[in-house]
Amino acid sequence: MSGLFDLQGHVALVTGGNTGLGLGMARGLAKAGANIAIWGRNADRNASAVEQLRQLGVEAEGFVCDVTDPEAINAAMSATISRFGRLDSCFANAGGSGVRKSFVDHTPADWASTIDLNFNSVTATMQAATKQFLAQGEGGKLIVSSSIAGLMGIPGGGYSATKAAVSGLVRSLAIELAPAGIQANAILPGFIETEMSTKTPQAFQDACMRRTASGKLGTLEDMEGVAVFLASQQSNLVTGHSLVIDGGQSIFPM
């Protein structure tokens, strides 16, 4: 591939990249020519994702990693650099819905679990990537998967709070790391059709459709170009930004 968004020679890391949104973004990056490191807890899913990416003509490797464990992150980063020799972009995508309880029923352990999954794991992953970028001295791209729940809010509080937090994190990192040529941005998807999201109650899916100005729910293909843009040199002036990918769901009047 050649042109504005050619990622030949680029090495991208995608956490939680063996399924869902992560794999969708990884496919887009691979189609643009990037080599891909997949971090995930399930070795079999990692292997399946790697095979799909290799079929696109790029180098890909999977690394078993639980991103809630800082030591596992450091080990996986070391293994990634040993395999590819460098890192150019880091997509901190791994996360989850966390504890699903009403706000008044949350215990301190529930809050800690959700924060560990959706915020602490992101900070540790992006810190490891930043250290590598600084060692290389050539800048880099930090991208985190947030959610429009960080803008709109959903019952329970924990998920929305952590997604809002990572959007705030990238604004801080954008200021601090700009002199080193490192950009930090967040992607805020709305309802994207994945294996997991399509298992949600039909009433919820219908409500999302009613709120979506575009008249269509998102697909994994909708995540591909966004990932390529934020990994590419064409986004060098885009930093500290929260890019909403929701077909107008978060602004639709009710």
Side-chain angles (χ1 to χ4, degrees):
M1 180 176 179
S2 61
L4 287 176
F5 302 105
D6 182 2
L7 295 180
Q8 295 285 341
H10 183 106
V11 177
L13 160 64
V14 185
T15 71
N18 55 21
T19 56
L21 298 182
L23 182 54
M25 291 188 287
R27 286 197 195 103
L29 295 164
K31 289 177 183 178
N35 298 319
I36 312 292
I38 295 293
W39 289 9
R41 292 182 294 183
N42 188 299
D44 291 338
R45 288 182 178 178
N46 287 354
S48 176
V50 164
E51 179 59 29
Q52 292 181 48
L53 296 171
R54 288 176 177 170
Q55 289 177 6
L56 295 172
V58 301
E59 295 183 33
E61 199 71 58
F63 303 88
V64 174
C65 181
D66 178 353
V67 292
T68 65
D69 179 353
E71 291 186 3
I73 287 174
N74 291 333
M77 182 61 73
S78 179
T80 297
I81 301 307
S82 294
R83 171 64 176 82
F84 292 103
R86 61 178 296 108
L87 184 67
D88 298 289
S89 63
C90 171
F91 287 76
N93 167 73
S97 59
V99 177
R100 296 185 179 184
K101 290 183 179 178
S102 100
F103 171 74
V104 296
D105 291 329
H106 267 67
T107 67
D110 293 333
W111 287 112
S113 175
T114 303
I115 292 169
D116 200 32
L117 177 64
N118 288 337
F119 185 76
N120 293 341
S121 67
V122 169
T123 61
T125 299
M126 294 174 81
Q127 185 179 59
T130 298
K131 289 178 179 178
Q132 180 61 32
F133 293 156
L134 294 174
Q136 292 169 184
E138 301 173 9
K141 306 284 186 173
L142 297 170
I143 303 98
V144 59
S145 292
S146 182
S147 169
I148 63 169
L151 299 174
M152 300 173 64
I154 59 175
Y159 181 75
S160 293
T162 53
K163 291 304 183 180
V166 294
S167 293
L169 174 66
V170 299
R171 291 193 290 272
S172 296
L173 295 180
I175 297 298
E176 180 176 344
L177 300 177
I182 298 171
Q183 292 82 52
N185 293 289
I187 298 174
L188 281 63
F191 188 97
I192 306 293
E193 294 178 334
T194 67
E195 181 181 349
M196 181 179 297
S197 68
T198 53
K199 293 179 180 178
T200 58
Q202 188 61 48
F204 174 75
Q205 297 183 44
D206 292 343
C208 290
M209 177 63 83
R210 288 194 300 271
R211 288 190 62 97
T212 302
S214 67
K216 64 180 286 291
L217 298 178
T219 67
L220 293 180
E221 287 72 22
D222 292 316
M223 303 301 297
E224 294 184 1
V226 174
V228 172
F229 170 67
L230 291 177
S232 76
Q233 296 302 301
Q234 304 309 313
S235 63
N236 282 354
L237 282 182
V238 179
T239 194
H241 185 57
S242 292
L243 182 56
V244 177
I245 312 297
D246 71 348
Q249 185 178 341
S250 57
I251 61 172
F252 196 78
M254 292 295 287

